[in-house]
Amino acid sequence: MFPDSKIPSGPLAGKWTKHKFDLKLVNPSNKRKYDIIVVGTGLGGAAAAASFAEMGYNVKAFSYHESPRRAHSIAAQGGINAAKNYPNDGDSIFRLFYDTIKGGDYRSREANVYRLAEVSNAIIDQCVAQGIPFAREYGGLLDNRSFGGAQVSRTFYARGQTGQQLLLGAYSSLVRQMHKGKVRFYPRHEMLEPVLIDGEAKGIITRNLVTGEISSHSANAVVLATGGYGNVFFLSTNAMASNGTAAWRAYKKGAYFANPSFTQIHPTCIPVASNHQSKLTLMSESLRNDGRVWVPKKEGDDRHPTNIPEEDRDYYLERLYPSFGNLVPRDVASRRAKEMCDDGRGVGPTKLAVYLDFKDAINRIGKDQVTAKYGNLFDMYQQITGENPYNAPMRIYPAVHYTMGGIWVDYNLMTTIPGLYVLGEANFSDHGANRLGASALMQGLADGYFVIPYTIGDYLSKKLGEKVSTDHDAFKEATSNVNKRLSHLLSINGNRTVDNIHKELGLIMWNNVGMARDKDGLEKAIEKIPTLRDEFWSNVKIPGKLNELNPELEKAGRLADFLELGELMARDGLNREESCGGHFRTEFQTEDNEALRDDKNFTYVSAWEYKDDSSPPELHKEILEFENVELTTRSYK
Amino acid sequence: MKVHIKVWRQTNAQSEGNFSTYPLDGVSGDMSFFEMLDSLNDNLVTEGKDPIAFDHDCREGICGTCGVFINGRAHGPIRGVTTCQLHMRSFQDGETIVVEPWRAKAFPIIRDLIVNRQSFDRVMEVGGYISINTGNAQDANAIPIAKEDADAAMDAAACIGCGACVATCKNSSAMLFVSAKVSQFALLPQGQPERSNRVKNMVDQMDEEGFGNCTNTGACEVECPKEISLVNIARMNREFLKASII
């Protein structure tokens, strides 16, 4: 029997309101009797930690960064969606819900997505009240722009730094509570293990990354907001330290991992230049508002792009999708770019790139307007590539950007481990098989500000008077396991560096579990990853000691988990014999090369349960019920 | 190309540090500065030596985690970029590149090139916010804000908190950092109710952390990777004076 997803009954639009009423409350004077641990202080974690503290709970917040302001939420560029309908262009909560469900290729829960759309407006209100300087019109009101997968303008933005401004907003609320003593922040602390007592989450084990000290922390509930696992590919747009360890450790303690193969490959990134490359840089999707994507019509056309006349250019997105044009969703844009390159029409030195051209926009609105809208992105492009995008088109190529999969959570954001909650990118809940642009910030803040503060009370109310102490044997056992694992890593003393092995894993993942997948490739990955894992555990070389700042040891621990997670991603991709959103199985496509879903057999969330290191995980299926939208083939034509 | 990296090595806050020089071959101009350090570290680890510890994360110039002195300049020779956005094409073949951590009393060294910047968080804790609890907000369009003011607030809010201003300043002053936050809120209607207390508390905390004062040299503005303007410091001085008189 699948765990109860706790979706409230009744009409869609009333579910959240009804559920909020049905949830048990913790009385204001009792809130200070509870401790909550929040791991990760990006958008979701900082928003949750600050909100908990404002309500009166005692919060301990952990980050492997020196400050909450360093979290990778900060790098989100383009914007945040909300159903405000300020532009009067026909937007509504239902339309945002509908676009998100459709954009996710009908592989997410109706109730969750509707709630996301429902609270989206309150997020904008909250952020403006925090003093976030969103872009405004001359009349003083908020400006909006468009993003992929939508035909309305509902994206609020702060230049190309929306994530930065929203994170600094959440951070400001968090530091205010730190000052009041309601939040204790543990900087440079990495969570290495959740601690369960009688099957419920009651604490964590951390390593102080400066001193190496391993310590135990107890609480009445644990909230993970630890981001996505895109770095399993080594090269991605994620920050260098972004990792899947907290989620993976939770999985190995019994939390189900849902849709692990659902990875978003973002279409507009700066192409790989050399094998020294350490990460890929995203160029915001907002560029597709004004930039036109094209490749030469002829294979092997080596002329400089400015010398290729209009009639020899193929604006393939506009050709294939006349109504959405350059603003098709990310999965579609990425796959088409790959097809063009596979077709021999890729550009640049590696031939693994397509053009994103602003010539028409500059002619239409002027260079100054283009600079005002995208100046920082243009500068960034020039700094990285040494080329000026005002004079010649940008070269872009898809790159791993976001993971829709994550820890399975119910409607309350609780995992299959009671008392353990997961927020933001780390959970699986809202984006189905493909996330729309400007929806990650929306989900992180929805979870942190407007969902978890309500739902956690329902669990805590049943724990009144519960005393949790780190003296419990479960903490000693978990500490001992952490110590053993770290000592083992340091004792291997082999010949290959962590990055060297990570790059090999990344290549296996990109080639077999990347933008286009098939049975053979996925099976190959399932065979190769365990071999590489054995290589890691017998031949990795980690210098330094346990009780000091040791970045190689940090990376090794994260890679050890990626080497397991990568295999689960391949298993999930193999199981799902259909194409949907970012999961494109080449065996399952329409005549027009679009994703071919199999709604009869695969309208479910695949939730994987860890058994033990020698047995394969067990698949559970949460059947998705659609009562309010009709499952159609996504068409952006 | 080949470069020589002359870099500050220091085991921890208590120990004394010194420079060590490492040659590195096979550097390409397309490598970022940190990819060059990755490559050097890969060699060091393979040789059984301790890699150079440095702070970095997003590698796209926005998280503010990175920052080192390169040949005597914060974030290296190019204006308006962070260290992670610097590429090796900005250096010469055969060059000796001197790499040091930020140096300031309020930023103690943790190891090699990593410093502790929690003093910034503590300054933020005493006033770097608008006191609003989740759920208290009115409609986002209820208060129109002139585009010029919103834009100026955004200019100030673009600060990434890397600390280059402090490291560059001969007085180790944090005035550019603090004034950027004070300005953001002083320019917006939402910031008015706490305007006076905010500037007083943040300036007091800044002094307590051991940051120096501003003597209007302007080096901070020159080295700031986000080109935060000195105008913010003038605005903060005005705010502070006003708050002190009234």
Side-chain angles (χ1 to χ4, degrees):
Chain A
M1 190 58 199
F2 198 86
D4 184 3
S5 53
K6 308 260 171 67
I7 295 170
S9 57
L12 185 65
K15 280 181 195 286
W16 178 229
T17 307
K18 173 177 179 293
H19 190 67
K20 280 192 287 187
F21 180 75
D22 291 341
L23 288 168
K24 291 199 175 54
L25 298 171
V26 176
N27 131 6
S29 63
N30 278 339
K31 289 200 174 81
R32 61 175 176 267
K33 296 175 186 163
Y34 292 96
D35 295 334
I36 303 174
I37 283 175
V38 178
V39 184
T41 45
L43 272 189
S51 303
F52 290 151
E54 289 162 6
M55 295 164 83
Y57 296 115
N58 308 307
V59 181
K60 296 186 227 181
F62 296 81
S63 171
Y64 55 67
H65 286 113
E66 61 171 347
S67 164
R69 66 180 297 153
R70 309 292 182 213
H72 197 52
S73 311
I74 207 156
Q77 297 170 355
I80 175 165
N81 288 329
K84 284 283 194 186
N85 193 32
Y86 286 155
N88 194 30
D89 57 359
D91 203 5
S92 62
I93 289 169
F94 194 86
R95 188 177 295 282
L96 174 54
F97 153 76
Y98 179 80
D99 286 348
T100 308
I101 283 273
K102 177 186 171 195
D105 221 354
Y106 308 97
R107 291 296 174 261
S108 46
R109 286 186 197 137
E110 278 191 343
N112 281 61
V113 177
Y114 193 87
R115 175 176 65 188
L116 178 66
E118 193 178 339
V119 303
S120 67
N121 292 339
I123 296 171
I124 303 302
D125 298 342
Q126 182 68 25
C127 292
V128 167
Q130 286 171 340
I132 289 171
F134 281 117
R136 285 174 186 269
E137 305 274 10
Y138 282 99
L141 302 181
L142 293 157
D143 189 23
N144 287 116
R145 61 186 172 196
S146 309
F147 258 61
Q151 288 178 312
V152 293
S153 289
R154 63 160 72 101
T155 305
F156 294 80
Y157 65 101
R159 295 200 186 134
Q161 293 133 273
T162 316
Q164 179 199 25
Q165 295 309 313
L166 297 185
L167 180 65
L168 293 181
Y171 161 79
S172 72
S173 294
L174 183 60
V175 292
R176 175 170 161 246
Q177 295 304 320
M178 281 157 63
H179 190 59
K180 289 183 170 177
K182 288 303 289 179
V183 176
R184 177 155 180 213
F185 179 64
Y186 294 77
R188 297 189 195 264
H189 276 65
E190 181 162 25
M191 174 197 140
L192 294 177
E193 203 72 45
V195 179
L196 273 55
I197 296 177
D198 300 328
E200 305 201 7
K202 293 297 155 197
I204 59 171
I205 308 294
T206 60
R207 178 168 181 268
N208 178 327
L209 300 181
V210 176
T211 64
E213 187 197 356
I214 306 293
S215 52
S216 300
H217 305 272
S218 63
N220 301 98
V222 177
V223 177
L224 305 183
T226 50
Y229 50 89
N231 270 345
V232 68
F233 290 86
F234 187 74
L235 284 181
S236 80
T237 65
N238 285 186
M240 300 305 287
S242 300
N243 68 80
T245 286
W248 195 250
R249 297 281 119 203
Y251 164 73
K252 294 191 83 167
K253 291 278 185 181
Y256 290 4
F257 208 115
N259 299 335
S261 70
F262 287 177
T263 310
Q264 176 159 86
I265 317 275
H266 196 291
T268 51
C269 300
I270 298 177
V272 176
S274 75
N275 52 9
H276 292 114
Q277 196 123 358
S278 58
K279 79 153 271 163
L280 297 170
T281 303
L282 176 82
M283 293 277 101
S284 168
E285 177 164 318
S286 61
L287 291 170
R288 287 196 277 143
N289 269 296
D290 287 302
R292 298 178 71 194
V293 178
W294 64 277
V295 290
K297 278 187 180 159
K298 281 197 306 273
E299 213 179 297
D301 188 338
D302 284 337
R303 284 177 290 178
H304 189 270
T306 51
N307 293 333
I308 299 179
E310 284 295 318
E311 61 270 21
D312 291 343
R313 299 176 174 197
D314 179 10
Y315 295 92
Y316 58 90
L317 289 178
E318 296 170 30
R319 172 171 58 82
L320 293 165
Y321 306 99
S323 62
F324 278 72
N326 292 295
L327 282 173
V328 290
R330 293 174 173 177
D331 56 332
V332 178
S334 291
R335 206 165 53 244
R336 292 299 183 182
K338 179 179 187 294
E339 263 172 42
M340 294 302 139
C341 297
D342 290 348
D343 208 23
R345 296 197 282 152
V347 301
T350 60
K351 302 288 172 205
L352 286 175
V354 299
Y355 291 126
L356 179 63
D357 202 331
F358 288 87
K359 191 184 67 179
D360 290 349
I362 292 170
N363 290 340
R364 192 178 72 246
I365 56 175
K367 193 181 161 193
D368 289 350
Q369 272 296 312
V370 171
T371 306
K373 279 169 116 168
Y374 311 112
N376 64 325
L377 299 168
F378 276 48
D379 291 348
M380 189 155 83
Y381 182 86
Q382 180 157 15
Q383 187 55 36
I384 291 171
T385 61
E387 293 167 20
N388 183 344
Y390 290 102
N391 299 335
M394 290 182 179
R395 281 177 293 112
I396 54 161
Y397 197 65
V400 174
H401 178 56
Y402 186 90
T403 48
M404 283 76 69
I407 296 294
W408 184 90
V409 289
D410 65 17
Y411 190 70
N412 293 327
L413 305 180
M414 188 154 87
T415 67
T416 45
I417 299 173
L420 183 69
Y421 292 80
V422 180
L423 317 183
E425 189 179 352
N427 74 26
F428 88 105
S429 69
D430 294 351
H431 307 296
N434 174 58
R435 177 175 67 73
L436 291 182
S439 284
L441 298 178
M442 175 172 65
Q443 188 219 338
L445 290 181
D447 287 0
Y449 285 135
F450 296 111
V451 180
I452 189 77
Y454 292 93
T455 59
I456 204 164
D458 192 56
Y459 172 79
L460 291 176
S461 65
K462 296 165 200 151
K463 304 288 170 189
L464 189 63
E466 180 189 51
K467 292 272 173 282
V468 193
S469 154
T470 54
D471 294 336
H472 194 281
D473 284 345
F475 281 95
K476 292 182 190 128
E477 195 192 323
T479 304
S480 147
N481 289 343
V482 165
N483 274 315
K484 264 187 235 160
R485 182 178 159 90
L486 293 171
S487 310
H488 184 186
L489 283 169
L490 284 167
S491 71
I492 298 167
N493 202 20
N495 294 310
R496 292 179 67 180
T497 60
V498 176
D499 280 358
N500 184 286
I501 298 173
H502 197 164
K503 284 180 185 177
E504 189 177 335
L505 173 66
L507 216 55
I508 296 173
M509 294 302 293
W510 182 247
N511 290 335
N512 301 295
V513 199
M515 250 190 297
R517 305 148 175 197
D518 62 25
K519 184 164 181 283
D520 284 355
L522 292 162
E523 282 173 347
K524 208 180 287 170
I526 293 168
E527 188 189 309
K528 280 183 172 177
I529 296 169
T531 313
L532 186 62
R533 195 158 63 220
D534 292 344
E535 165 77 0
F536 171 85
W537 283 103
S538 59
N539 199 24
V540 72
K541 187 180 179 75
I542 305 160
K545 297 190 284 286
L546 192 60
N547 59 351
E548 62 178 2
L549 186 132
N550 190 339
E552 291 293 311
L553 180 63
E554 294 166 28
K555 287 195 294 186
R558 294 164 192 164
L559 176 58
D561 291 333
F562 281 142
L563 282 161
E564 297 179 9
L565 172 55
E567 185 186 335
L568 186 69
M569 292 168 72
R571 281 184 190 280
D572 185 52
L574 184 65
N575 168 71
R576 192 169 282 277
E577 293 182 329
E578 64 161 352
S579 294
C580 55
H583 170 68
F584 192 76
R585 285 277 299 261
T586 54
E587 307 99 310
F588 308 102
Q589 51 182 308
T590 65
E591 280 176 8
D592 301 335
N593 309 107
E594 300 291 352
L596 184 63
R597 289 197 324 264
D598 177 353
D599 291 335
K600 190 160 160 277
N601 296 304
F602 290 96
T603 310
Y604 64 76
V605 173
S606 49
W608 298 86
E609 181 186 7
Y610 173 74
K611 291 295 179 187
D612 59 61
D613 282 337
S614 51
S615 331
E618 186 182 346
L619 173 65
H620 301 272
K621 298 174 183 177
E622 181 195 343
I623 305 297
L624 293 166
E625 312 279 354
F626 291 91
E627 294 165 352
N628 300 277
V629 297
E630 196 186 331
L631 275 65
T632 55
T633 300
R634 280 194 313 171
S635 171
Y636 293 98
K637 291 183 191 301
Chain B
M1 62 193 206
K2 182 174 180 170
V3 291
H4 302 271
I5 304 300
K6 184 177 174 186
V7 60
W8 187 257
R9 303 303 309 259
Q10 182 172 336
T11 311
N12 54 43
Q14 290 73 41
S15 60
E16 281 201 12
N18 59 275
F19 281 106
S20 297
T21 304
Y22 306 94
L24 184 67
D25 237 330
V27 175
S28 99
D30 283 337
M31 278 172 132
S32 73
F33 186 81
F34 284 149
E35 284 162 2
M36 180 277 294
L37 280 187
D38 289 342
S39 167
L40 175 58
N41 275 345
D42 217 59
N43 294 350
L44 291 175
V45 172
T46 309
E47 291 163 19
K49 294 178 185 154
D50 273 339
I52 300 155
F54 60 98
D55 251 340
H56 63 103
D57 198 31
C58 76
R59 295 203 178 186
E60 50 190 87
I62 192 74
C63 72
T65 309
C66 74
V68 290
F69 250 66
I70 301 168
N71 292 339
R73 290 190 63 181
H75 293 299
I78 310 280
R79 266 185 93 151
V81 301
T82 56
T83 309
C84 64
Q85 293 178 294
L86 185 64
H87 283 67
M88 293 309 290
R89 66 179 83 92
S90 300
F91 299 92
Q92 305 291 322
D93 190 19
E95 188 173 344
T96 296
I97 303 169
V98 183
V99 190
E100 291 174 83
W102 289 165
R103 294 189 190 277
K105 194 169 121 196
F107 290 166
I109 291 177
I110 292 176
R111 188 185 178 104
D112 296 342
L113 303 173
I114 301 181
V115 298
N116 183 342
R117 286 168 289 195
Q118 280 176 276
S119 45
F120 269 9
D121 283 338
R122 289 189 293 266
V123 174
M124 290 291 284
E125 276 183 38
V126 300
Y129 45 77
I130 285 163
S131 297
I132 170 155
N133 286 356
T134 304
N136 287 355
Q138 59 188 327
D139 184 82
N141 258 350
I143 319 169
I145 301 171
K147 187 176 183 336
E148 297 75 15
D149 292 339
D151 285 349
M154 181 62 217
D155 288 341
C159 168
I160 57 173
C162 65
C165 48
V166 175
T168 297
C169 176
K170 61 187 178 192
N171 310 318
S172 298
S173 169
M175 292 277 270
L176 195 65
F177 168 78
V178 179
S179 68
K181 192 47 71 177
V182 167
S183 288
Q184 177 193 342
F185 292 143
L187 286 159
L188 296 172
Q190 301 94 308
Q192 300 314 307
E194 296 166 288
R195 190 172 181 169
S196 296
N197 284 337
R198 175 179 302 113
V199 67
K200 282 194 286 193
N201 292 342
M202 289 180 82
V203 168
D204 284 353
Q205 188 65 33
M206 178 180 89
D207 291 343
E208 196 168 306
E209 294 291 343
F211 292 108
N213 214 325
C214 172
T215 46
N216 289 318
T217 310
C220 53
E221 178 188 65
V222 174
E223 295 296 356
C224 173
K226 296 296 152 184
E227 301 179 311
I228 302 294
S229 166
L230 211 55
V231 167
N232 292 304
I233 297 185
R235 188 181 290 112
M236 181 166 84
N237 284 333
R238 197 166 64 235
E239 291 290 316
F240 186 74
L241 192 65
K242 216 155 64 178
S244 309
I245 295 167
I246 301 165

